[in-house]
Amino acid sequence: LSSNQFVGAIPTSLKSLTSLTYLFLSDNEYLDQGAIPEWIQDLVNLRELSLRKTVRMGTIPIWLDELTQLQLLDLSGNALTSTIPPSLGYSSSLRFLLLNRNNLNGTVPEDLNQLDNLELVMLDKNSLQGDVDAIFCDKKKLEVLTSDCKLPEVQCTCCSKCCSDDNDSCNADYSIVGQLDASLETGYKQEGYDLNP
């Protein structure tokens, strides 16, 4: 459902799709502004959720860690505010975490250090602070880490890309390619991602 010109609210009827494993609504910038829908927490089989550029506002919900199979969470390119909830550190299946290009602030929670399966993390173009080195640099599977590395924001010596508030083009063009065969029931494997900075 990505990259359409949908208008109106994200339909609540989607909550009845309790077996849904992939929900990509990204790049639908004509949707009504609003919070991340609470009914998404009922989609307990979700493995990939992308709400990139869907005019989401408000905070990142604390219930996301209840989606225990979630491997990809893309909330980038919205107007989300407040802090990253520490509860996100209990989403142990997460491999791809994209929170960049929002209005997030506060300290990057140390709880994210528990996410040992991370392969890609994007935090850039926010107003976050903290020691990203201590949280992410020891992750053996982590291939891509982007952040605003200019003090007084985060400290990140292991970032694969450092952005700054005065460079709007930094990391502006990237795309995530989700699971290509949604019929797979066993042996699930993320097909990959394309990062075009």
Side-chain angles (χ1 to χ4, degrees):
L1 300 174
S2 295
S3 301
N4 285 286
Q5 295 185 12
F6 295 135
V7 296
I10 298 175
T12 57
S13 56
L14 290 174
K15 71 180 179 181
S16 64
L17 304 175
T18 54
S19 297
L20 195 67
T21 52
Y22 312 100
L23 180 57
F24 274 69
L25 293 170
S26 56
D27 298 299
N28 280 295
E29 297 180 84
Y30 299 108
L31 290 169
D32 289 349
Q33 294 180 357
I36 295 171
E38 286 192 28
W39 52 261
I40 289 178
Q41 66 186 306
D42 297 327
L43 303 178
V44 295
N45 292 303
L46 272 186
R47 294 179 182 179
E48 299 186 355
L49 172 63
S50 178
L51 297 176
R52 171 189 173 186
K53 293 185 180 179
T54 56
V55 285
R56 296 306 89 202
M57 304 178 81
T59 61
I60 298 174
I62 59 173
W63 46 257
L64 282 170
D65 66 308
E66 296 173 21
L67 301 175
T68 58
Q69 298 184 53
L70 197 64
Q71 296 187 25
L72 182 147
L73 177 62
D74 186 355
L75 302 178
S76 62
N78 285 295
L80 295 170
T81 57
S82 193
T83 59
I84 299 172
S87 58
L88 205 53
Y90 299 105
S91 303
S92 59
S93 296
L94 268 183
R95 295 170 56 199
F96 305 92
L97 177 62
L98 298 94
L99 302 178
N100 53 314
R101 296 186 169 268
N102 279 287
N103 298 315
L104 299 171
N105 56 52
T107 302
V108 179
E110 294 180 8
D111 306 72
L112 298 185
N113 182 255
Q114 301 175 78
L115 301 176
D116 291 327
N117 294 312
L118 286 174
E119 297 177 36
L120 180 145
V121 177
M122 292 186 175
L123 301 174
D124 54 278
K125 308 308 286 182
N126 285 294
S127 295
L128 297 167
Q129 296 182 344
D131 188 354
V132 170
D133 284 350
I135 298 170
F136 296 115
C137 288
D138 66 340
K139 301 295 168 220
K140 293 183 172 37
K141 297 179 182 177
L142 191 61
E143 296 178 24
V144 176
L145 173 60
T146 67
S147 184
D148 299 326
C149 306
K150 198 171 185 179
L151 292 175
E153 293 185 71
V154 303
Q155 175 180 331
C156 186
T157 59
C158 65
C159 279
S160 48
K161 176 165 274 196
C162 287
C163 295
S164 62
D165 292 334
D166 56 356
N167 183 358
D168 284 337
S169 64
C170 184
N171 210 24
D173 298 318
Y174 63 89
S175 61
I176 294 291
V177 178
Q179 174 61 274
L180 299 180
D181 185 355
S183 67
L184 290 178
E185 294 296 326
T186 58
Y188 168 80
K189 181 178 184 298
Q190 174 75 31
E191 289 294 335
Y193 58 86
D194 289 335
L195 179 64
N196 303 307

